[in-house]
Amino acid sequence: MRKKNSNPTMKDVALEAGVALGTVSKVINGLPVGEEYRQKVESAIKKLNYQVNSYAQGLKANRTNTIALLVPNTINPFFGNLVNCITVALSKRHYHTLLCCTDYRQDLENKYIAMVKRKQVDGIIGLTYNPNLRVDENTPFVSIDRCLGPTIPCISSDNFAGGQIAAEKLASLGCRHVAFMRIGSSLTNEPNKRKSGFENGCMISGMTYENCLLEDGTSMEDFYRFLQEHYSGGKLAFDGIFCATDTTAYYILQCLRLLNVKVPEEVQVIGFDGVRILSEFGFVCSTIVQPVEDIAEMCVEMIHQENMSTKPPLICLPVHYEPGGTTRD
Amino acid sequence: MRKKNSNPTMKDVALEAGVALGTVSKVINGLPVGEEYRQKVESAIKKLNYQVNSYAQGLKANRTNTIALLVPNTINPFFGNLVNCITVALSKRHYHTLLCCTDYRQDLENKYIAMVKRKQVDGIIGLTYNPNLRVDENTPFVSIDRCLGPTIPCISSDNFAGGQIAAEKLASLGCRHVAFMRIGSSLTNEPNKRKSGFENGCMISGMTYENCLLEDGTSMEDFYRFLQEHYSGGKLAFDGIFCATDTTAYYILQCLRLLNVKVPEEVQVIGFDGVRILSEFGFVCSTIVQPVEDIAEMCVEMIHQENMSTKPPLICLPVHYEPGGTTRD
DNA sequence: TTGTATGCGTTATCAT
DNA sequence: ATGATAACGCATACAA
């Protein structure tokens, strides 16, 4: 006798329909079956409101159509957007998303990765920071913004190109001496290339530049100090600023207002990410827009192709510039 | 012979340790076992790098420690914050989060709810809009911001009180004739009470008010039109505006700038939600802050107590006012 | 084409 | 305390 609280099983359906267990299974899985049997089974399914138990299914098939998604959080608007796009992309391919917010904590990153071994998920898409992350060779893993090794695909924006585009854009808008400002990202991840790309672009364009690089954990107020140090006689030493993120750019814009430096008249500012104000208005600033939807699609594509013979270790997707009021274009 | 790709099972561990299957299970589950056996089993587990298969576990126990979280998206900063808080709260209680972004689509809302019957999840926390959502009586479901029936707990901010607080705050700051502005939320959900609370607060405070209620799908530009209609002779008809959300407030602030109406000198504006700019700076405007973390904790608490004899149908958590530069306080 | 029987990995019951 | 065995619900190979 079944527990009263338990849901109907295939056996119940078979009993109700007066057919064998295997027949029910075949109907469920769309395998060829006699039409009269199919009718009986289907009406029995409806009558009992039967649903397959995906744990039993997973136990047999060794897969659950679930992908774990590791991100620091969903509060940061860039992450929020990324999570949304990936979830939608996974859903399109009939995958479920197990969301894991790591809060930048290494222990949580490792804990969630251990989960995959318990077969909770078929694969992991991770935007992680843990320097000594231990991912199994044969664990389907796709990394975002950070290369973890030759066997693990990494999806990223073309950060180098983005930095270079920013520099060239500033140059074409008349800048001669510019600054690059960044906080955190002390790890060797892809977004660090924004700096290199920017420097390269400065060289190409014949601009001189200075860097203001704050360590992780530093207060952003050091940005203000830096700007103050390069401000004298009512004039800022730079005519252009490239910020590693739109968030940084937003802070810098506030600093410039305090210093009474006019944007974009006296100094032009370009950020990175393409974040929108409250997610639905314009850009925070002129910015290098990351192709978030393409990144999401590519991640899912790569996770999907688990048996790819040759996994490209690094895929950089093209970015583009969008004016947002903080440049003279 | 086992497939080479397969992970080690309890049987493998038992074989390796030279003990019986049941003994291994006991060690795993912390049941009393002879010390020497425990040693052997534990070293075998380490040697084989064994992990329990949670599908088999779920099949037996009929639970998976996974909760589905239904939200429209994670792009909206309020949702992003909510999702983050709920995920963290669930994680604290050893639940995993299956994230489902519905994009306000009824079919997806129903699809995800059907999922629970397949035993993919132990319960659902949902912020849904579907008017004819069909949730099973005995499906553990906690609703956010919308009452679905007497057997389904609903967690919400105290929206009525929030609206009233906003009115009283505007009154105490000198307002006499105010406006309430809202778009969407045509459904009978909890946030609609913001309007009633505001109206009540206006009565109490002796303020007169006007409503500008835009239907879902309308363009926000109608807000601008409304303001224009109440603007003449360089003066706005209102000295205070309460917006149903911070996002609306942000748009209204832009409109007021276009009309050259000074905030907060000529008109004071209060929003609702407590959303922060780029998630980490100040508030967008003076606002009624929702206790997002408390909402998250309460949702998890309610889902956790599945066998609660008396489920309170509606729980309203206290909100509070925070100045954000668009009021004279 | 349909039905039967076995196994997936774990837990729990019941002898030992 | 320990070990054998049945059962969870499904899929499938194999027999009818």
Side-chain angles (χ1 to χ4, degrees), chain A residues 249-291:
Chain A
Y250 182 83
Y251 186 83
I252 298 298
L253 289 172
Q254 288 186 310
C255 294
L256 292 172
R257 199 171 303 136
L258 282 179
L259 290 173
N260 213 25
V261 175
K262 293 275 172 283
V263 177
E265 291 81 1
E266 300 175 50
V267 59
Q268 302 183 73
V269 176
I270 294 180
F272 206 113
D273 280 347
V275 165
R276 289 173 181 277
I277 297 168
L278 290 180
S279 83
E280 56 180 89
F281 296 106
F283 292 111
V284 172
C285 56
S286 297
T287 185
I288 306 296
V289 182
Q290 292 205 52

Side-chain angles (χ1 to χ4, degrees), chain B residues 251-285:
Chain B
Y251 186 83
I252 297 299
L253 289 173
Q254 288 186 311
C255 295
L256 293 172
R257 199 170 304 137
L258 282 179
L259 290 173
N260 213 25
V261 175
K262 292 275 171 284
V263 177
E265 291 81 2
E266 301 175 49
V267 59
Q268 302 184 71
V269 177
I270 293 181
F272 206 113
D273 279 348
V275 164
R276 290 173 179 278
I277 297 168
L278 290 180
S279 85
E280 55 180 271
F281 297 105
F283 292 111
V284 172
C285 56

Side-chain angles (χ1 to χ4, degrees), chain A residues 57-197:
Chain A
Q57 245 179 354
L59 184 58
K60 283 298 286 185
N62 220 27
R63 71 196 306 267
T64 57
N65 295 315
T66 301
I67 300 291
L69 176 55
L70 268 67
V71 290
N73 60 63
T74 60
I75 304 178
N76 177 301
F78 177 71
F79 294 149
N81 192 7
L82 183 66
V83 166
N84 198 85
C85 291
I86 290 179
T87 302
V88 168
L90 284 172
S91 184
K92 267 194 269 180
R93 285 200 173 70
H94 305 289
Y95 280 113
H96 296 303
T97 307
L98 205 62
L99 178 64
C100 308
C101 295
T102 62
D103 194 26
Y104 299 100
R105 281 171 52 187
Q106 306 193 2
D107 55 333
L108 288 183
E109 291 185 354
N110 276 326
K111 178 186 132 190
Y112 287 127
I113 289 188
M115 200 175 63
V116 80
K117 302 300 286 183
R118 273 176 253 152
K119 299 241 154 294
Q120 299 264 26
V121 295
D122 296 342
I124 305 181
I125 298 173
L127 200 165
T128 61
Y129 291 83
N130 189 339
N132 36 2
L133 197 69
R134 41 189 185 77
V135 289
D136 223 331
E137 285 280 322
N138 49 15
T139 296
F141 194 107
V142 171
S143 175
I144 299 174
D145 273 357
R146 183 156 153 253
C147 289
L148 293 173
T151 62
I152 298 170
C154 171
I155 315 293
S156 166
S157 292
D158 193 340
N159 289 283
F160 190 93
Q164 187 163 326
I165 289 169
E168 290 170 345
K169 178 54 72 175
L170 287 175
S172 78
L173 291 171
C175 294
R176 303 305 307 152
H177 184 59
V178 294
F180 173 71
M181 311 194 83
R182 190 189 68 189
I183 186 170
S185 303
S186 51
L187 257 164
T188 53
N189 56 11
E190 288 302 308
N192 275 323
K193 294 183 183 169
R194 294 170 191 178
K195 173 170 170 288
S196 309

Side-chain angles (χ1 to χ4, degrees), chain B residues 21-309:
Chain B
L21 191 60
T23 310
V24 178
S25 176
K26 280 173 192 161
V27 172
I28 302 277
N29 293 51
L31 296 175
V33 111
E35 189 51 33
E36 46 184 339
Y37 287 83
R38 146 161 290 113
Q39 297 286 343
K40 282 197 284 188
V41 169
E42 281 179 347
S43 66
I45 286 176
K46 239 172 222 152
K47 181 172 173 189
L48 297 179
N49 190 26
Y50 166 81
Q51 299 268 345
V52 299
N53 180 322
S54 60
Y55 295 130
Q57 251 179 349
L59 183 58
K60 281 301 282 186
N62 219 28
R63 71 196 307 266
T64 58
N65 294 316
T66 301
I67 301 291
L69 176 55
L70 266 67
V71 290
N73 60 63
T74 60
I75 304 178
N76 177 301
F78 177 71
F79 294 149
N81 191 7
L82 183 66
V83 165
N84 198 84
C85 291
I86 290 179
T87 301
V88 168
L90 284 172
S91 184
K92 268 194 268 180
R93 284 199 173 71
H94 306 290
Y95 280 114
H96 296 303
T97 307
L98 204 63
L99 178 65
C100 308
C101 294
T102 62
D103 194 26
Y104 300 100
R105 282 172 51 188
Q106 305 193 4
D107 56 334
L108 288 183
E109 291 185 355
N110 275 326
K111 178 187 132 189
Y112 288 127
I113 289 189
M115 197 175 62
V116 79
K117 302 300 285 182
R118 273 177 254 151
K119 300 240 150 298
Q120 300 264 25
V121 295
D122 296 342
I124 305 181
I125 297 174
L127 199 165
T128 61
Y129 291 84
N130 189 340
N132 37 2
L133 196 70
R134 42 189 184 77
V135 289
D136 222 331
E137 284 279 323
N138 49 16
T139 295
F141 194 106
V142 171
S143 175
I144 299 174
D145 272 358
R146 181 155 155 254
C147 289
L148 293 172
T151 62
I152 297 170
C154 171
I155 314 294
S156 167
S157 291
D158 193 340
N159 289 284
F160 190 93
Q164 187 163 326
I165 289 169
E168 290 170 344
K169 176 57 72 175
L170 287 175
S172 78
L173 291 172
C175 294
R176 304 305 307 151
H177 184 59
V178 294
F180 173 71
M181 311 194 82
R182 189 189 71 188
I183 184 169
S185 303
S186 51
L187 257 163
T188 53
N189 57 9
E190 288 302 309
N192 275 323
K193 295 185 183 169
R194 293 170 192 178
K195 172 169 171 288
S196 309
F198 182 70
E199 291 174 330
N200 197 47
C202 288
M203 309 263 242
I204 292 173
S205 313
M207 289 192 301
T208 51
Y209 64 88
E210 289 185 49
N211 286 328
C212 175
L213 311 174
L214 303 189
E215 289 301 314
D216 241 333
T218 320
S219 163
M220 284 184 111
E221 289 170 23
D222 287 350
F223 280 139
Y224 186 67
R225 231 159 276 143
F226 176 83
L227 290 174
Q228 273 184 315
E229 287 166 9
H230 292 79
Y231 179 81
S232 69
K235 198 165 167 304
L236 192 68
F238 316 109
D239 49 12
I241 298 176
F242 174 48
C243 301
T245 69
D246 288 342
T247 302
T248 299
Y250 182 84
Y251 186 83
I252 297 299
L253 289 173
Q254 288 186 311
C255 295
L256 293 172
R257 199 170 304 137
L258 282 179
L259 290 173
N260 213 25
V261 175
K262 292 275 171 284
V263 177
E265 291 81 2
E266 301 175 49
V267 59
Q268 302 184 71
V269 177
I270 293 181
F272 206 113
D273 279 348
V275 164
R276 290 173 179 278
I277 297 168
L278 290 180
S279 85
E280 55 180 271
F281 297 105
F283 292 111
V284 172
C285 56
S286 296
T287 185
I288 306 297
V289 181
Q290 292 204 53
V292 178
E293 288 189 24
D294 297 340
I295 292 174
E297 284 291 342
M298 189 60 76
C299 287
V300 175
E301 182 73 23
M302 298 298 294
I303 273 285
H304 194 61
Q305 306 194 3
E306 32 187 330
N307 292 328
M308 201 161 43
S309 50

